[in-house]
Amino acid sequence: MPEQSKIWLSSPHMGGEEQKFVKEAFDTNWIAPLGPNVTSFEHAISTYIDNNVFTAALSSGTGAIHLALELLGVSAGDEVLCQTFTFSASANPIKYLGATPVFVDSEVDTWNMSPKLLREAIVDRIAKDKKPKAIVAVHLYGMPYNVTEITAVAKEFDIPVVEDSAEALGSTFKGEKCGSFGTIGILSFNGNKIITTSGGGALVTKDESIKNKAIFLATQAREDAPHYQHSVVGYNYRMSNVLAGIGRGQMLVLDERVAARRANYQYYYDNLQTIEEIEFLNEPEGSFSNRWLSCILTPSFKVREEIRLLLLEENIESRPLWKPMHLQPVFSGCASYMDGTSENLFERGLCLPSGSNLEKEDLERVVRIIKSKFL
Ligand SMILES: *Cc1c(COP(=O)(O)O)cnc(C)c1O
């Protein structure tokens, strides 16, 4: 039998107009960072998220988090509270600045930062005379964190929030777009995200001066002088005008991509929810997830691995949920405020193929294999 075609977890999906904008960059010889595609891409993002926001297009989401933390005043010796259940890029930039992450566990309703544990963590750090400088909260897999409560706790203690919206472009909370809730929001356009520039990110803020400072730092902190003048350490984090052309094309199909990913989730839900051993994460009232990745919970680590390996045998890529940061060797020794939620999700959870370019037959194949394990 010929080998079955590979089904990827989440692969890039071009809309068709991208090459037109890239060609524009070539035709006008704007093969630089900066240029008309960057400006237009930033405008498209701002308009999409909220008319009141300003956007700086950058070379990665990780770079955007790095700049966000620096702009919020995080420096060596500080502590930053960070959702433990996330991808390492949420936490690594805390270390770039010589600061220390303090991890906070998730709530079962959203799989994101628990407002209750966040509050406990802040009270305890303050009692230890180490008031956290910032909070990194994440809309994991596209599901909004509890914006109302997280924002309220942050306000109560006057701590700024970096809203890691890398996986949640197109998601909304009470009708407003993710990316607009934090003191600073960040986006990612990495190859596996809901839209991609092959590599890239953005910083989003309602404060124009923060945006201007981000662009300043992202272009080597070069001051306005005919010679090159520098008073602070800068970075090379700006997005290239060629890649921003891909981004302009992708913005045209973003809502279609959200609809396609949500349809994947709905298909899995409709066809697997009758299996008692499988659980899904429903949207809490007021939340709209872009369903970047469709995830299921199995009864145990053992069953999760059996399903993952069954799929792998059939040339289908799936992946365990993110391994929490407080369990990662690189962050061992960091303080953490845990109740077991993220560890439990990591043990039992599996991300299924979720690309917006999956065919009906692909989804059928995945469902058939998972069903064969239970029925
Ligand atoms: C992808 C991702 C990032 C980082 O984005 P890059 O553009 O890959 O640097 C940050 N946080 C989360 C939750 C992500 O999934």
Side-chain angles (χ1 to χ4, degrees):
M1 208 173 86
E3 191 168 288
Q4 298 247 56
S5 62
K6 171 103 182 175
I7 301 180
W8 297 98
L9 188 73
S10 178
S11 69
H13 185 189
M14 292 298 110
E17 296 292 306
E18 291 83 1
Q19 283 178 313
K20 189 186 92 189
F21 296 116
V22 171
K23 186 171 182 299
E24 243 174 66
F26 275 73
D27 290 346
T28 53
N29 205 30
W30 277 102
I31 315 295
L34 308 185
N37 275 340
V38 173
T39 312
S40 298
F41 184 40
E42 289 176 341
H43 180 73
I45 296 167
S46 296
T47 313
Y48 183 83
I49 289 189
D50 181 334
N51 278 319
N52 293 319
V53 302
F54 301 91
T55 302
L58 301 169
S59 53
S60 73
T62 311
I65 296 172
H66 186 187
L67 292 182
L69 291 169
E70 181 162 333
L71 289 166
L72 295 175
V74 174
S75 62
D78 288 338
E79 287 191 352
V80 174
L81 294 166
C82 182
Q83 182 164 324
T84 191
F85 193 44
T86 186
F87 177 50
S88 65
S90 305
N92 282 333
I94 299 168
K95 295 289 252 184
Y96 301 169
L97 291 161
T100 307
V102 172
F103 294 110
V104 178
D105 214 340
S106 290
E107 53 171 4
V108 289
D109 292 0
T110 64
W111 295 2
N112 294 312
M113 189 179 267
S114 154
K116 183 171 150 285
L117 289 173
L118 173 64
R119 199 171 190 293
E120 282 176 28
I122 295 173
V123 168
D124 191 51
R125 296 328 282 174
I126 291 176
K128 293 185 163 73
D129 210 17
K130 289 179 184 161
K131 185 178 173 186
K133 260 291 172 65
I135 298 163
V136 180
V138 189
H139 306 296
L140 211 62
Y141 302 117
M143 184 64 76
Y145 61 73
N146 187 332
V147 175
T148 308
E149 291 189 27
I150 294 288
T151 308
V153 174
K155 266 217 173 102
E156 181 185 345
F157 294 94
D158 196 24
I159 303 174
V161 176
V162 176
E163 179 192 2
D164 183 342
S165 202
E167 302 180 1
L169 182 56
S171 298
T172 67
F173 183 81
K174 297 197 173 152
E176 290 181 55
K177 293 259 170 33
C178 287
S180 67
F181 299 115
T183 317
I184 300 178
I186 75 96
L187 304 172
S188 168
F189 309 109
N190 197 11
N192 57 355
K193 297 289 161 43
I194 193 151
I195 61 166
T196 182
T197 57
S198 82
L203 182 149
V204 179
T205 171
K206 289 183 173 146
D207 182 340
E208 192 172 14
S209 74
I210 288 184
K211 178 215 154 169
N212 292 337
K213 284 182 199 155
I215 290 175
F216 171 71
L217 287 176
T219 47
Q220 307 287 20
R222 197 186 135 197
E223 286 156 28
D224 199 12
H227 57 275
Y228 278 35
Q229 175 82 12
H230 309 272
S231 308
V232 296
V233 174
Y235 308 94
N236 182 5
Y237 275 174
R238 204 63 166 119
M239 179 176 277
S240 124
N241 194 54
V242 177
L243 300 188
I246 304 177
R248 283 179 77 186
Q250 289 275 278
M251 283 306 290
L252 300 175
V253 291
L254 173 54
D255 282 334
E256 283 172 45
R257 299 298 181 257
V258 173
R261 296 224 178 211
R262 286 179 61 85
N264 290 338
Y265 174 86
Q266 196 61 44
Y267 184 88
Y268 289 133
Y269 183 84
D270 290 344
N271 287 278
L272 295 172
Q273 51 101 14
T274 50
I275 302 172
E276 224 175 88
E277 292 90 338
I278 293 184
E279 292 170 55
F280 289 84
L281 177 63
N282 295 315
E283 288 164 325
E285 207 188 311
S287 288
F288 176 92
S289 170
N290 68 8
R291 296 292 184 188
W292 172 57
L293 295 185
S294 290
C295 306
I296 56 170
L297 291 181
T298 69
S300 65
F301 173 80
K302 184 168 161 289
V303 176
R304 181 259 264 173
E305 276 304 280
E306 281 166 6
I307 296 175
R308 190 179 68 80
L309 295 171
L310 260 183
L311 292 168
L312 192 63
E313 262 169 46
E314 303 281 338
N315 213 11
I316 298 169
E317 185 186 25
S318 65
R319 193 186 293 155
L321 300 189
W322 297 122
K323 180 173 180 175
M325 291 304 114
H326 71 281
L327 300 179
Q328 300 285 0
V330 64
F331 295 120
S332 69
C334 292
S336 64
Y337 294 81
M338 297 296 133
D339 68 5
T341 301
S342 62
E343 291 196 36
N344 183 270
L345 292 170
F346 169 59
E347 278 183 12
R348 295 163 54 210
L350 192 67
C351 305
L352 302 178
S354 302
S356 49
N357 47 6
L358 291 176
E359 306 283 346
K360 181 96 190 294
E361 300 83 75
D362 298 331
L363 294 169
E364 284 167 1
R365 236 170 92 197
V366 175
V367 161
R368 190 171 352 105
I369 292 160
I370 296 176
K371 276 189 165 164
S372 74
K373 163 86 187 94
F374 295 101
L375 307 173

